[in-house]
């Protein structure tokens, strides 16, 4: 499965054309990839909508995708360990949700579509597959 980070969804819902949103559009239109969304990513995206109608449309859209829960205890413990390993290397990831998402992808073998530099720091640890590679 391809999990999509809020950095891409936000551009997608703002109709911004990037290589990431173009790739997402292709996967969604062609159905060639199983695209999913994490529960806490839904939170990150929906909290930014100012318009209720647009927020409801996005919520309905997310309801059509496979949703995974990344905030459980097992993943929280694994993510905390990843965060401490990064800090030991002198790197800081600014969003705790990014660490939880990366940890979940690593544990379940999912690819992550993102446009956020924090994930490049997490790739240093190994085991995080992203698009583009």
């Amino acid at each position: 499965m391809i999990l999509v980070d809020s950095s891409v969804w936000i551009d997608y819902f703002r109709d911004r054309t990037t290589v990431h949103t173009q790739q997402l559009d292709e996967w969604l239109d062609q159905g060639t990839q199983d695209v999913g969304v994490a529960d806490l990513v839904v939170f990150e995206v929906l909290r930014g909508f100012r318009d209720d109608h647009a927020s409801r449309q996005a919520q309905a859209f997310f309801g059509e995708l496979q949703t995974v829960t990344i905030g459980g205890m097992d993943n929280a413990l694994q993510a905390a360990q990843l965060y401490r390993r990064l800090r030991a290397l002198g790197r800081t990831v600014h969003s705790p949700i990014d660490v939880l998402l990366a940890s979940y992808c690593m544990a379940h073998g999912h690819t992550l579509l993102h446009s956020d530099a924090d994930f490049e720091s997490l790739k240093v640890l190994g085991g995080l597959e992203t698009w583009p590679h």
Side-chain angles (χ1 to χ4, degrees):
M1 179 188 322
I2 307 286
L3 288 179
V4 182
D5 178 53
S6 59
S7 57
V8 177
W9 286 121
I10 289 167
D11 285 344
Y12 181 82
F13 287 118
R14 290 182 176 167
D15 291 323
R16 290 184 183 148
T17 301
T18 68
V19 295
H20 302 91
T21 59
Q22 288 176 323
Q23 184 61 59
L24 178 59
D25 264 334
E26 181 180 318
W27 288 333
L28 292 170
D29 289 345
Q30 296 179 1
T32 56
Q33 290 291 334
D34 188 14
V35 175
V37 64
D39 57 343
L40 296 178
V41 168
V42 171
F43 161 73
E44 283 186 306
V45 174
L46 292 181
R47 71 182 178 163
F49 279 92
R50 292 187 177 110
D51 178 68
D52 287 341
H53 179 70
S55 177
R56 285 191 300 274
Q57 285 182 313
Q59 185 175 347
F61 179 86
F62 283 140
E64 299 295 318
L65 300 176
Q66 184 171 344
T67 305
V68 298
T69 302
I70 63 171
M73 181 60 83
D74 289 342
N75 195 47
L77 295 172
Q78 182 175 329
Q81 183 179 19
L82 290 175
Y83 185 85
R84 287 192 315 273
R85 286 177 54 202
L86 281 174
R87 293 290 296 172
L89 295 173
R91 295 175 178 256
T92 300
V93 174
H94 298 94
S95 169
I97 293 174
D98 288 352
V99 182
L100 288 163
L101 180 58
S103 174
Y104 187 91
C105 287
M106 293 164 77
H108 293 80
H110 298 314
T111 299
L112 177 64
L113 175 63
H114 74 91
S115 61
D116 184 333
D118 277 346
F119 292 109
E120 295 307 312
S121 290
L122 284 153
K123 284 178 69 171
V124 168
L125 299 176
L128 179 60
E129 185 177 337
T130 64
W131 187 98
H133 304 284

